[in-house]
Amino acid sequence: MPLESPINSLGFAKAPADTRVVVAMSGGVDSSVVAAKLAEEGYDVVGVTLQLYDHGAALAKKGACCAGRDIHDARRVAEEMGFPHYVLDYENTFREAVMDEFADSYLGGATPVPCIRCNERVKFKDLLQTARDLDADCMATGHYIQRKMGVQGAELHSAADAAKDQSYFLFSTTQDQLDYLRFPLGHHKSKDETRALAAKYGLSVADKPDSQDICFVPNGDYAAVIEKLRPGAASPGTIVDINGQVLGQHNGVIHYTVGQRRGLGIGGLADPLYVVRLDVDKKQVIVGPKDMLATRRVPLREINWIGGGKLTDIAERQIAVRVRSTRPPTDAILRPISDTEAEVELLVAEQGVSPGQACVFYDTDSTRVLGGGWIWRGQ
């Protein structure tokens, strides 16, 4: 009896040449290295890049993902490594699924995270379906996160390089998606390893800078983008203290986020004040002392649970959570309300927890990502 083929680097019991991989190529160094590495290993690689918004605006912005220059760079890498590359027009989908909600969330006083919605509603939904339509065995991306096989199947784990870990932005990955996805860079211990591979393959993007801003927000100016998407939606109002005393005027709540201290235009006060709440209906920015930002109870909805079993199997469980992408996990208690709602109690209060942000769950005894949910105001 012939022996079964050895498991290849992507986990399939067949030769790389018989394994088709669709690589989501943003035009940056990370996804380019993934595509080049798999092509060198002999996989049947197909590169796909999504055109997400207007070329003219994109070309004017450096470091933007899936802009005109990035599409050119992705195509060039495909030519250099000898695999096919396709560009799909997703402008309408991206605007409806990501940009519109981004604008409406800000106008509603929340602080959205559009990169999560892009992964959830575009890359890991429509693009993943395209990969299936192309009869690919899997889809690979350049995200820094690890996929490991556990007792019950594929698990999501934080990246080996904590500084590059992107688990916060991928918490909404479902089990079905995780079964199909691959993340070849997740085990890299530093970005230097990735750039060294880019140089080894002679890629034209080897020294390309990393993208820093949200792709459709030039120079981090959220308000300008929102005003463009929702003309006239930003209305002026007042800046008030916690007792309702008017301290100043503002040109729209979209210019402020919970936890903000600088740029309030209310100088001359004895103690520093922070934005503690946004009241959209009254067009008020409410400010107060720093200790008012401290939060221990965090209501969540739209929960995605990938920790095994059902979320409601246990009345409460000890986990670690991140309430912002820039903060390390902190100990907490998760109390499920339904399969998609829960309350998280932080054992140590966090400051600046804002509606619209994500709260991501981690196992306390490993690097496993258990899922997460969206922070909202609750009742």
Side-chain angles (χ1 to χ4, degrees):
M1 179 182 295
L3 294 176
E4 186 183 45
S5 301
I7 300 295
N8 63 30
S9 65
L10 294 178
F12 297 99
K14 55 184 176 180
D18 298 323
T19 307
R20 175 168 290 178
V21 187
V22 164
V23 179
M25 299 183 68
S26 68
V29 64
D30 297 323
S31 57
S32 295
V33 165
V34 167
K37 181 177 186 294
L38 295 176
E40 186 196 50
E41 291 177 7
Y43 286 94
D44 178 10
V45 173
V46 178
V48 176
T49 301
L50 301 182
Q51 178 182 315
L52 297 180
Y53 51 94
D54 178 69
H55 269 204
L59 285 169
K61 180 181 185 303
K62 295 182 179 179
C65 165
C66 305
R69 169 53 56 183
D70 294 305
I71 291 172
H72 169 80
D73 289 342
R75 182 181 292 117
R76 185 174 176 184
V77 168
E79 292 173 351
E80 291 168 347
M81 298 303 298
F83 59 82
H85 174 260
Y86 301 96
V87 178
L88 304 181
D89 183 353
Y90 272 58
E91 284 191 25
N92 289 338
T93 299
F94 184 71
R95 172 154 182 162
E96 293 171 2
V98 180
M99 295 175 67
D100 284 346
E101 184 189 70
F102 173 82
D104 293 337
S105 293
Y106 255 103
L107 289 172
T111 307
V113 191
C115 297
I116 297 176
R117 291 303 196 190
C118 182
N119 289 326
E120 173 188 318
R121 297 175 175 176
V122 182
K123 294 177 182 176
F124 290 177
K125 182 183 177 184
D126 294 337
L127 179 54
L128 191 145
Q129 184 56 52
T130 297
R132 294 185 189 275
D133 292 342
L134 290 171
D135 293 326
D137 294 281
C138 64
M139 185 174 91
T141 79
H143 288 107
Y144 284 87
I145 194 165
Q146 298 187 82
R147 176 187 182 274
K148 298 182 178 182
M149 294 305 297
V151 175
Q152 297 180 324
E155 299 175 352
L156 202 62
H157 286 254
S158 299
D161 180 4
K164 297 295 294 182
D165 175 57
Q166 291 176 292
S167 59
Y168 183 86
F169 300 100
L170 296 171
F171 83 86
S172 60
T173 305
T174 66
Q175 188 62 52
D176 181 63
Q177 292 166 345
L178 185 57
D179 291 340
Y180 192 69
L181 289 163
R182 300 294 188 275
F183 309 106
L185 301 184
H187 67 284
H188 284 193
K189 295 181 179 179
S190 77
K191 181 63 176 272
D192 292 340
E193 290 184 34
T194 303
R195 292 200 180 276
L197 283 175
K200 170 188 171 183
Y201 300 135
L203 302 183
S204 53
V205 297
D207 297 320
K208 187 174 182 178
D210 290 340
S211 177
Q212 300 295 328
D213 297 324
I214 295 172
C215 66
F216 59 92
V217 182
N219 305 315
D221 190 351
Y222 302 151
V225 172
I226 296 164
E227 288 172 348
K228 182 178 179 181
L229 291 169
R230 298 288 185 272
S235 301
T238 55
I239 300 175
V240 302
D241 65 16
I242 56 176
N243 297 314
Q245 180 180 346
V246 176
L247 303 178
Q249 305 293 317
H250 67 76
N251 294 321
V253 295
I254 62 172
H255 296 276
Y256 302 87
T257 57
V258 173
Q260 179 177 337
R261 175 187 174 187
R262 300 184 184 278
L264 300 181
I266 52 171
L269 300 174
D271 298 313
L273 295 176
Y274 299 77
V275 176
V276 297
R277 190 162 57 88
L278 300 170
D279 190 324
V280 177
D281 294 333
K282 295 182 179 179
K283 302 177 183 177
Q284 288 183 337
V285 174
I286 298 96
V287 297
K290 189 175 183 178
D291 58 15
M292 286 197 67
L293 291 171
T295 301
R296 286 194 60 186
R297 295 188 180 276
V298 184
L300 304 176
R301 59 186 177 185
E302 291 185 68
I303 289 175
N304 177 56
W305 177 256
I306 50 172
K310 295 179 63 177
L311 176 64
T312 53
D313 284 345
I314 301 176
E316 66 177 40
R317 64 184 84 204
Q318 297 278 341
I319 60 170
V321 301
R322 289 168 76 179
V323 293
R324 282 185 183 272
S325 63
T326 55
R327 295 182 182 175
T330 184
D331 289 338
I333 300 173
L334 174 65
R335 297 188 177 95
I337 298 171
S338 69
D339 288 336
T340 58
E341 294 180 298
E343 181 184 75
V344 161
E345 180 184 350
L346 305 173
L347 300 192
V348 177
E350 289 266 355
Q351 293 182 335
V353 177
S354 175
Q357 295 280 304
C359 177
V360 181
F361 310 152
Y362 298 85
D363 181 39
T364 56
D365 298 321
S366 70
T367 59
R368 187 175 181 184
V369 182
L370 304 176
W374 293 94
I375 301 169
W376 66 303
R377 289 185 179 84
Q379 302 300 322

